[in-house]
Amino acid sequence: MTRRALGAALLAVGGVAGCTRPPATGAGGALRTELSGKVMGTTFSIKTDGDPAPAMPAIDALHAVDARFSTYKPDSEISRFNAHRSTEPFACSDEFAAVVARALEVAEKTEGAFDPTIRPLMTLWGFETAADGARTEPTQEQIDAAVARVGWTKLHLDGTSLTKDVADLELDLSAIAKGYGVDRAAQALIDAQVTGFMVDVGGEVRCRGTKPGGVPWRIGIEKPPAHPTERAIEEVVEVHDHAIATSGSYRIWRRYGSRRVHHIFRPDTGRNAENPVVSVSLRATTCALADALATSFMVRGPTGAEAVLDRFDDDNLGALFLLHNGNGNVTQHPARW
């Protein structure tokens, strides 16, 4: 999941802990826990309004999701599926089937803008390896060959059985599994009766309740930087019992000569979409849906965004597009935001 971990960012206003911290007394005298570390190729932060014990199962949940869905772990379930070079059925776990089912639903409702079978293109364009080093741009023939292996309609789920129409089809669930991991961690905190928390994994965030003292959780949406080292906030939003995820073109990219190619591709062309979208932030009840839709809207652009949102049964849905306006500046385009 490494390559998408920092594609764009949501910034917890006031900062995110860089290391595990002991409990501290928050506003109103409530005990506050801040725990952080690394998972899924990025960092996580969990903040709660109570003692740290209930947060431990949430951390375990994040690592369990990483172990199942990371394409960088050869023994993960997704790696075993990708190594299954056959059109014969592949038996998967209930959890794996549930995430694939959600991914296929989003693929259908976004008309293929979100595609969980995108991995051949990620590999072809160099996003399975480190960013440094000279690169030769793929030929059109190579792109066409990779596109022929991509397509969510070539993947079929029957209960917990997955089949492929082409033997070398490969899954990459990074654009939904990180959000799903946030949801799993959030559910662990809910099960432990934690009334106020924020879970942040690489900029994908889900909150419940408030901070100690009744202060709302406030999340900063990053302004696309003029320089890669810049970090600034475009807008601050309050998050109440829902999730926010952002996808963007400015953090993860590869250079081919004078061109920059970012990590989000049109499944039908094998290239970046030609639209003015720099980033998309999605608000949704679950982080998995916010994560997947943010990626799909990077491909689709803002046209028809509200019609797509109407296809999902989620009253919290909203999107904020940041668009290049042609003179070096960025403008906002909200859809139910």
Side-chain angles (χ1 to χ4, degrees):
M1 300 181 188
T2 305
R3 69 186 155 272
R4 290 190 193 167
L6 296 174
L10 298 169
L11 307 176
V13 175
V16 173
C19 59
T20 300
R21 295 183 180 181
T25 300
L31 192 66
R32 180 173 179 182
T33 293
E34 298 182 25
L35 302 174
S36 61
K38 293 185 178 181
V39 72
M40 303 181 191
T42 185
T43 58
F44 73 83
S45 173
I46 297 175
K47 299 183 179 183
T48 77
D49 58 2
D51 67 73
M56 298 308 169
I59 295 173
D60 292 341
L62 291 176
H63 286 289
V65 170
D66 192 22
R68 191 180 297 280
F69 293 100
S70 173
T71 57
Y72 293 89
K73 298 180 185 294
D75 59 344
S76 69
E77 190 165 4
I78 195 169
S79 292
R80 289 188 286 106
F81 173 82
N82 288 341
H84 178 70
R85 301 286 173 149
S86 171
T87 56
E88 293 298 311
F90 176 89
C92 61
S93 66
D94 289 342
E95 181 176 50
F96 197 86
V99 174
V100 169
R102 189 59 157 163
L104 291 175
E105 178 194 1
V106 176
E108 179 179 13
K109 290 181 177 179
T110 61
E111 300 169 330
F114 177 83
D115 195 319
T117 69
I118 200 73
R119 189 167 190 246
L121 290 170
M122 305 299 294
T123 302
L124 179 67
W125 285 98
F127 289 95
E128 294 287 345
T129 57
D132 53 353
R135 298 182 181 277
T136 301
E137 185 166 341
T139 65
Q140 188 59 50
E141 183 179 14
Q142 290 173 317
I143 295 171
D144 291 343
V147 167
R149 297 170 54 200
V150 171
W152 67 274
T153 60
K154 300 170 185 175
L155 178 68
H156 309 283
L157 177 65
D158 183 7
T160 56
S161 179
L162 279 171
T163 56
K164 315 174 184 183
D165 288 346
V166 291
D168 55 355
L169 177 144
E170 293 183 330
L171 280 172
D172 183 340
L173 295 168
S174 300
I176 192 170
K178 185 150 64 77
Y180 171 73
V182 171
D183 292 332
R184 276 278 312 270
Q187 189 59 53
L189 293 166
I190 292 170
D191 291 344
Q193 299 183 338
V194 178
T195 58
F197 64 74
M198 182 188 76
V199 179
D200 175 358
V201 179
E204 319 291 47
V205 176
R206 183 167 165 179
C207 299
R208 186 189 194 200
T210 63
K211 295 180 182 180
V215 179
W217 297 105
R218 301 172 68 240
I219 303 298
I221 296 173
E222 187 176 18
K223 181 189 294 290
H227 188 277
T229 60
E230 292 181 2
R231 305 285 281 194
I233 292 176
E234 170 74 18
E235 180 172 317
V236 176
V237 295
E238 292 185 359
V239 184
H240 305 276
D241 300 325
H242 60 266
I244 300 280
T246 293
S247 187
S249 62
Y250 50 86
R251 290 290 177 201
I252 303 177
W253 49 271
R254 300 289 184 263
R255 185 173 295 282
Y256 289 90
S258 60
R259 288 200 317 122
R260 292 202 325 178
V261 175
H262 64 77
H263 67 296
I264 302 173
F265 296 95
R266 281 187 52 159
D268 57 344
T269 67
R271 298 181 181 274
N272 293 156
E274 295 183 1
N275 62 44
V277 180
V278 187
S279 76
V280 186
S281 295
L282 251 293
R283 181 185 64 240
T285 300
T286 67
C287 202
L289 181 58
D291 195 5
L293 283 179
T295 297
S296 73
F297 280 136
M298 284 293 300
V299 173
R300 287 183 57 95
T303 302
E306 293 200 19
V308 173
L309 296 177
D310 282 340
R311 297 168 190 165
F312 295 89
D313 184 17
D314 187 337
D315 292 337
N316 281 317
L317 278 181
L320 178 65
F321 293 81
L322 298 184
L323 312 175
H324 276 307
N325 64 5
N327 62 4
N329 295 321
V330 171
T331 58
Q332 295 187 5
H333 181 97
R336 294 190 187 170
W337 189 255

